[in-house]
Amino acid sequence: MAYQKHRILMVSDFFYPNFGGVESHIYYLSQCLLKLGHKVVVMTHAYGNRSGVRYMTGGLKVYYVPWRPFLMQNTLPTFYGTLPIIRTILIREKISLVHGHQAFSTLCHEALMHARTMGYKVVFTDHSLYGFADVGSIHMNKVLQFTLADVSQAICVSHTSKENTVLRSGVPPEKVFVIPNAVDTAMFKPGPERPRGNEIVIVVISRLVYRKGADLLVEVIPEVCHLFPNVRFIVGGDGPKRVRLEEMREKHSLQDRVEMLGAVPHARVRSVLISGHIFLNSSLTEAFCIAILEAASCGLLTVSTRVGGVPEVLPDDMIVLAEPDPGDMVQAIKKAISLLPKIDPQIMHERMKKLYNWHDVAKRTEIVYDRALKCPNQNFLERVSRYLSCGAWAGKLFCLVMIIDFLLWRLVQLLQPTEDIEEVPEFTVSNHQDREMFLNSSEVQSSR
Amino acid sequence: MVEFSITNQRYTYIDDHKWPSEEIDIHHIIVRKSNAKGFIVCVSAFVVLANGLCLFLVKDISISIIFWSFLLSAILVKLMFWKSVVKESVVVMPAFGVQLETHYRSGRIARRFVPIGKILKPVLLECVTPITCYWSLSLILRGEADLMLVFKELHPPMKMLVPIWKALCIACGSEESSDPSIKNG
């Protein structure tokens, strides 16, 4: 139980109006934390014309800082450029804790670095798995090592992800908590009745990229269509590999058995899911996979590749796992088709409601925040010495980066003193319903 | 005459309300003189001139260097004095309109008049730049997509903007919304 209400700044390059796993995680988590009584502010980069301060449901304040994204949604990494605006936001919103999301977000790393320099407690959530071997991964892991060398607590979305993060960054495992994602079961409900007919519909909704196993689909779909004449596929999503799937359709004349929907907006995902019986996920790597949660919540039986954190997500009777190999996946689909009569979508949905719940995620995150705030304050020299263990060259470089950051912070304090930054007054987001409840509760209290 | 003022390090706010004799309400935001800034600019101009003269006399560079250093120092001085703002005022004339004035150190006054019927609502907004975030007072105008900033050059603090915002709300007849309620001002 939390005794203290926190004021949290969520930082990431990935937020609404983009849709995705990280974005919806930040949004749902923030909404549930607001319901628990904490104050949450989100900071992200500007999306096109959407720049400045916006308010979302429940009074969630979002700062769209006008820094241009330069590569794959990420803000240009200037190391120290974001220091003044982050300092201003931290002071004016009276933030007590900074929560960064996604290792791939440059804004997140910069914000966490500046927040640590200024003495704030910092929590980091990692949402993806990364490799160790290629050049990109090596650099990413070094950056992560830098950020996590001095983080108060870290959160991963599955045990596999925790293992991956600990190995990549060298952070002590005691500092890492595992809090899985959840699904909005109110939105993903099964249809009033299952799709009729003796056809079995297999749904695939994912970005058609290499990472999500689009190449596996190209091999699996014709084989399944050949073996099972009553099976039909619905493929939603877009990406560079779409061309390959279209070619496959042409080559095997499957135009009437494979329907390509193109990019499916998030609001329409449920309507596509409930038109099927089985959900197929062919990802080659996945830290958690919210897509299969959504499918299970809509009452579909899932067939997935056994990669990353996927085996941890659903109970064994709701999912059929296969190796990321076409032959094995075809066998798994065969098994799923035979299991189909035993599945009741409503029962599945009820079970999902009990298993996954964003309010539960928020409560667990609250515990992590409480722990983070209890971490002892360390002085500057002690903190800088932690970076020395990051590597022979890297350690010294990181120390230098932090020392420069500290000096720049002092300079910014001189140029824009703390007294000049006004704190934002508290607003209560009024709602007629809330006001009634408030009036009723105050009447009840006064009558006691 | 009712006068009310708030001061901080950079600005002084004065509410000049000649009531009950006149209905007009004038709000001034006056920039407090920063001697340090003027001193630095004069010193830099002097250094530039001295440098130019030195280069000409000692190193035998052509006389055009003096011309360029004069030009540079003139630009510095101009930026400091010509464009710098002494005061910004808001003259609220109920049932008639609002006049927004900017007084420069050179004596120039820039005025904008907004008829009362054109103002839909005055709003306090947070402006986010790549470096900082500050409060500003703006007018939403009927039939126009852009907001009109009340204070074009200056960024006065919230405690000075609130009384002006309240006066503008009363003048244009829009109700100050009681919700969202402000817990601490």
Side-chain angles (χ1 to χ4, degrees):
Chain A
M1 191 171 72
Y3 304 99
Q4 182 192 2
K5 295 302 171 199
H6 308 299
R7 302 179 67 92
I8 304 142
L9 177 70
M10 301 273 189
V11 186
S12 182
D13 273 307
F14 308 103
F15 195 63
Y16 182 84
N18 237 23
F19 280 104
V22 180
E23 293 85 339
S24 53
H25 173 103
I26 300 175
Y27 177 73
Y28 284 119
L29 179 59
S30 306
Q31 290 293 336
C32 293
L33 286 169
L34 282 170
K35 287 245 164 58
L36 285 171
H38 303 287
K39 165 114 171 95
V40 183
V41 176
V42 179
M43 177 175 155
T44 182
H45 66 77
Y47 285 86
N49 268 345
R50 186 181 282 260
S51 163
V53 171
R54 302 277 176 127
Y55 288 88
M56 295 181 84
T57 319
L60 177 63
K61 186 169 182 178
V62 187
Y63 280 85
Y64 288 97
V65 178
W67 280 84
R68 291 225 149 268
F70 88 112
L71 175 70
M72 289 166 70
Q73 293 293 335
N74 281 308
T75 321
L76 183 70
T78 53
F79 280 94
Y80 305 111
T82 42
L83 175 58
I85 182 69
I86 289 173
R87 174 176 170 259
T88 305
I89 293 176
L90 288 172
I91 294 174
R92 70 198 309 267
E93 300 287 345
K94 296 175 284 213
I95 299 292
S96 58
L97 186 112
V98 179
H99 189 166
H101 291 264
Q102 190 60 313
F104 200 60
S105 163
T106 48
L107 187 63
C108 164
H109 288 295
E110 286 190 24
L112 295 187
M113 171 173 82
H114 299 314
R116 278 310 282 151
T117 307
M118 293 188 259
Y120 290 88
K121 298 290 188 295
V122 144
V123 175
F124 174 75
T125 296
D126 200 355
H127 293 260
S128 301
L129 296 176
Y130 286 100
F132 295 82
D134 57 295
V135 175
S137 295
I138 294 177
H139 286 302
M140 173 63 45
N141 294 344
K142 222 49 193 173
V143 170
L144 189 67
Q145 201 178 12
F146 169 67
T147 301
L148 292 186
D150 198 22
V151 79
S152 310
Q153 301 292 344
I155 300 176
C156 286
V157 293
S158 63
H159 293 283
T160 314
S161 177
K162 172 174 173 173
E163 199 182 310
N164 185 263
T165 302
V166 167
L167 286 171
R168 274 158 54 214
S169 63
V171 66
E174 312 80 66
K175 269 199 187 174
V176 185
F177 289 76
V178 175
I179 304 179
N181 280 325
V183 65
D184 186 3
T185 43
M187 186 167 144
F188 290 95
K189 284 206 247 260
E193 50 183 38
R194 271 185 128 171
R196 289 276 178 83
N198 50 7
E199 265 193 335
I200 295 180
V201 181
I202 301 184
V203 179
V204 178
I205 299 187
S206 83
R207 279 179 299 137
L208 300 174
V209 294
Y210 168 73
R211 241 178 156 221
K212 297 287 180 181
D215 295 308
L216 272 176
L217 281 180
V218 169
E219 317 250 336
V220 165
I221 293 179
E223 188 63 33
V224 171
C225 286
H226 172 68
L227 283 173
F228 303 101
N230 63 338
V231 163
R232 202 161 61 83
F233 280 86
I234 296 181
V235 178
D238 208 346
K241 296 282 180 179
R242 189 177 171 178
V243 181
R244 281 204 72 193
L245 281 161
E246 303 271 10
E247 276 174 8
M248 176 258 323
R249 250 173 113 203
E250 294 290 320
K251 186 171 163 197
H252 297 270
S253 309
L254 293 170
Q255 286 89 338
D256 53 340
R257 298 199 47 205
V258 176
E259 192 183 337
M260 306 277 295
L261 294 176
V264 180
H266 191 76
R268 279 193 41 221
V269 167
R270 186 219 166 216
S271 58
V272 175
L273 285 172
I274 58 174
S275 64
H277 302 92
I278 295 177
F279 182 77
L280 177 60
N281 174 52
S282 53
S283 307
L284 297 178
T285 170
E286 201 74 74
F288 186 78
C289 202
I290 298 191
I292 57 181
L293 276 189
E294 290 172 353
S297 181
C298 287
L300 277 79
L301 180 61
T302 306
V303 174
S304 176
T305 42
R306 186 183 286 116
V307 290
V310 172
E312 299 175 37
V313 177
L314 286 177
D316 292 330
D317 55 337
M318 287 193 194
I319 187 170
V320 180
L321 292 168
E323 297 307 315
D325 166 73
D328 213 23
M329 286 182 72
V330 171
Q331 289 303 315
I333 293 178
K334 183 175 174 189
K335 184 175 170 197
I337 291 174
S338 65
L339 283 175
L340 212 47
K342 297 189 202 122
I343 303 292
D344 183 343
Q346 280 298 349
I347 296 179
M348 225 188 204
H349 175 76
E350 295 300 320
R351 278 179 75 188
M352 289 303 292
K353 263 165 79 167
K354 291 200 190 84
L355 286 172
Y356 286 102
N357 183 345
W358 280 109
H359 294 285
D360 181 51
V361 171
K363 286 205 190 85
R364 290 161 81 164
T365 312
E366 212 179 21
I367 297 174
V368 178
Y369 292 156
D370 291 335
R371 279 276 209 107
L373 285 170
K374 286 202 184 88
C375 282
N377 285 326
Q378 287 185 307
N379 72 21
F380 180 64
L381 287 171
E382 279 169 7
R383 283 185 26 240
V384 164
S385 60
R386 275 203 206 174
Y387 290 98
L388 283 170
S389 59
C390 288
W393 284 106
K396 298 183 178 62
L397 180 65
F398 295 160
C399 284
L400 186 64
V401 166
M402 287 310 279
I403 291 170
I404 297 178
D405 198 34
F406 181 77
L407 293 171
L408 279 173
W409 173 47
R410 290 298 186 196
L411 178 66
V412 170
Q413 271 186 322
L414 268 175
L415 292 174
Q416 191 182 25
T418 313
E419 303 77 54
D420 277 357
I421 301 174
E422 302 167 287
E423 290 172 3
V424 174
E426 293 291 331
F427 292 109
T428 47
V429 177
S430 83
N431 199 341
H432 292 299
Q433 223 176 3
D434 282 0
R435 210 192 268 167
E436 260 182 55
M437 276 166 54
F438 172 68
L439 288 171
N440 287 340
S441 70
S442 60
E443 276 172 30
V444 168
Q445 276 179 12
S446 58
S447 66
R448 272 191 199 153
Chain B
M1 184 161 111
V2 174
E3 213 179 86
F4 167 68
S5 75
I6 307 174
T7 323
N8 89 348
Q9 216 179 14
R10 244 193 250 162
Y11 304 110
T12 305
Y13 163 66
I14 297 177
D15 179 7
D16 200 359
H17 195 166
K18 297 181 177 64
W19 182 88
S21 58
E22 286 174 32
E23 288 278 322
I24 296 176
D25 191 7
I26 312 180
H27 304 266
H28 302 282
I29 301 270
I30 303 169
V31 179
R32 294 183 72 182
K33 270 193 197 144
S34 160
N35 290 325
K37 198 171 156 199
F39 181 69
I40 289 171
V41 170
C42 289
V43 163
S44 344
F46 177 72
V47 162
V48 166
L49 271 173
N51 199 29
L53 203 63
C54 209
L55 281 172
F56 170 64
L57 288 173
V58 175
K59 296 243 170 106
D60 267 341
I61 298 181
S62 71
I63 198 155
S64 61
I65 193 91
I66 294 202
F67 171 69
W68 287 116
S69 39
F70 260 119
L71 192 64
L72 188 60
S73 12
I75 290 172
L76 274 170
V77 170
K78 180 193 177 207
L79 282 173
M80 170 66 197
F81 294 111
W82 201 260
K83 281 224 144 193
S84 85
V85 177
V86 166
K87 180 170 82 162
E88 288 211 67
S89 306
V90 180
V91 184
V92 181
M93 295 166 270
F96 189 53
V98 174
Q99 172 143 299
L100 309 167
E101 298 177 354
T102 307
H103 300 245
Y104 295 94
R105 195 175 292 204
S106 55
R108 185 165 69 99
I109 306 179
R111 293 189 177 94
R112 297 169 286 163
F113 178 73
V114 188
I116 204 82
K118 189 113 177 160
I119 303 176
L120 182 57
K121 201 171 172 133
V123 284
L124 285 166
L125 291 174
E126 289 170 285
C127 300
V128 182
T129 69
I131 314 281
T132 185
C133 180
Y134 56 89
W135 286 97
S136 74
L137 177 57
S138 304
L139 301 171
I140 304 180
L141 302 174
R142 289 178 204 275
E144 285 191 32
D146 289 339
L147 297 169
M148 178 184 277
L149 279 172
V150 170
F151 294 107
K152 249 189 349 181
E153 313 279 349
L154 303 180
H155 297 163
M158 176 74 140
K159 57 185 179 182
M160 295 183 192
L161 291 175
V162 171
I164 307 176
W165 171 69
K166 285 185 177 160
L168 282 169
C169 282
I170 294 170
C172 64
S174 64
E175 292 164 16
E176 289 166 45
S177 40
S178 52
D179 57 329
S181 54
I182 299 178
K183 271 189 188 151
N184 58 327

